[in-house]
Amino acid sequence: MRIEEVRRHVITPLTGPAFPPVVPRFTDREYLNIVYRTDADALRTVVPEPLRVDEPLVRFEVMKMGDVSGYGPYTEAGQAIPVTLDGERGEYLHAMYLDNFPATASGREVSAYPKTIAAPSLHVDHGALVGTLDHGSLRVATATMGYKHHELDRREAEAQITVPTFMLKTIPGYDGSPRVQELVRTEITDIDVKWAYTGPARLQLFQHVLAPLADLPVLEIVSASHILTDLTLAPVKPVYDYLEGAAS
């Protein structure tokens, strides 16, 4: 393969890329969101500057992807933390766990999503919406919500999931030091909320060294929502360069 041909490839392996070069469209993306209050000191320990934490809140989410162009159906779970940057409110994506390797690889390599492989699920069980996350053979999270108890205004539902999101992109150099280290921003676009509900909810987090969700303990459930949408994710843009110590 000639040098100019190599340069046209941005995904490895060269002859069998780990994920497709597409901008995915999410169809029937189903959310279980539980916002909870946690320990403020624990939260500030994991949120990188220049992001700021105002309230000690965390959003635990389980997302069941009905169909994603280039990847097919899969399920994802994780934690997002409400933050501000230069007066703009958004969320810092703290951890994401999913059961699809191509989506994991593309999220980490093309963007900056903190994705790793695990086994999340979302289903209805005897009148309760149940979201779980297993790491290997061990349960690390169980979330339950009353199934479609009260309709939620679709504009409110859209506002919940379209806030800007911030992520940390770090690529090590060959000597082990960071070659790229940036805070990046993205957002959801082209969204269509098909329905949305709210109701009572509970969340249990279990200690695991490789999936430390419980390091942000559940002190109080604040709100819950169950939302079905179609949407697209915008490309990420750098907003702060840690190696230069300045806004990008």
Side-chain angles (χ1 to χ4, degrees), residues 56-77:
L57 300 176
V58 180
R59 181 171 63 87
F60 175 78
E61 63 180 4
V62 182
M63 297 175 288
K64 187 176 182 179
M65 319 297 183
D67 182 69
V68 186
S69 52
Y71 304 99
Y74 64 92
T75 306
E76 186 170 326

Side-chain angles (χ1 to χ4, degrees), residues 71-229:
Y71 304 99
Y74 64 92
T75 306
E76 186 170 326
Q79 290 170 312
I81 300 169
V83 294
T84 59
L85 178 67
D86 298 330
E88 181 182 45
R89 293 187 177 276
E91 289 183 330
Y92 170 65
L93 298 185
H94 175 55
M96 306 176 80
Y97 303 88
L98 56 161
D99 57 5
N100 181 299
F101 177 75
T104 302
S106 68
R108 293 175 65 96
E109 293 182 21
V110 177
S111 301
Y113 293 96
K115 297 187 174 188
T116 190
I117 289 290
S121 70
L122 184 64
H123 63 279
V124 179
D125 183 11
H126 294 279
L129 180 66
V130 179
T132 62
L133 175 62
D134 294 345
H135 192 286
S137 62
L138 298 178
R139 177 63 46 87
V140 293
T142 299
T144 56
M145 174 183 165
Y147 183 69
K148 294 187 175 181
H149 279 205
H150 309 287
E151 282 198 59
L152 179 66
D153 184 87
R154 295 188 186 188
R155 290 168 296 183
E156 182 179 344
E158 181 175 328
Q160 285 185 18
I161 60 177
T162 56
V163 297
T165 53
F166 300 97
M167 301 166 285
L168 182 63
K169 174 106 175 179
T170 298
I171 300 176
Y174 298 110
D175 62 354
S177 62
R179 188 172 181 177
V180 174
Q181 194 166 58
E182 297 173 330
L183 186 70
V184 303
R185 178 191 183 280
T186 187
E187 58 189 343
I188 287 171
T189 63
D190 301 326
I191 187 170
D192 175 24
V193 175
K194 297 180 175 180
W195 48 251
Y197 291 85
T198 186
R202 299 290 187 272
L203 175 62
Q204 294 173 286
L205 302 177
F206 305 96
Q207 297 285 352
H208 193 297
V209 66
L210 299 182
L213 284 77
D215 286 1
L216 302 177
V218 180
L219 302 182
E220 177 191 6
I221 301 297
V222 175
S223 65
S225 59
H226 180 203
I227 303 169
L228 185 69
T229 71

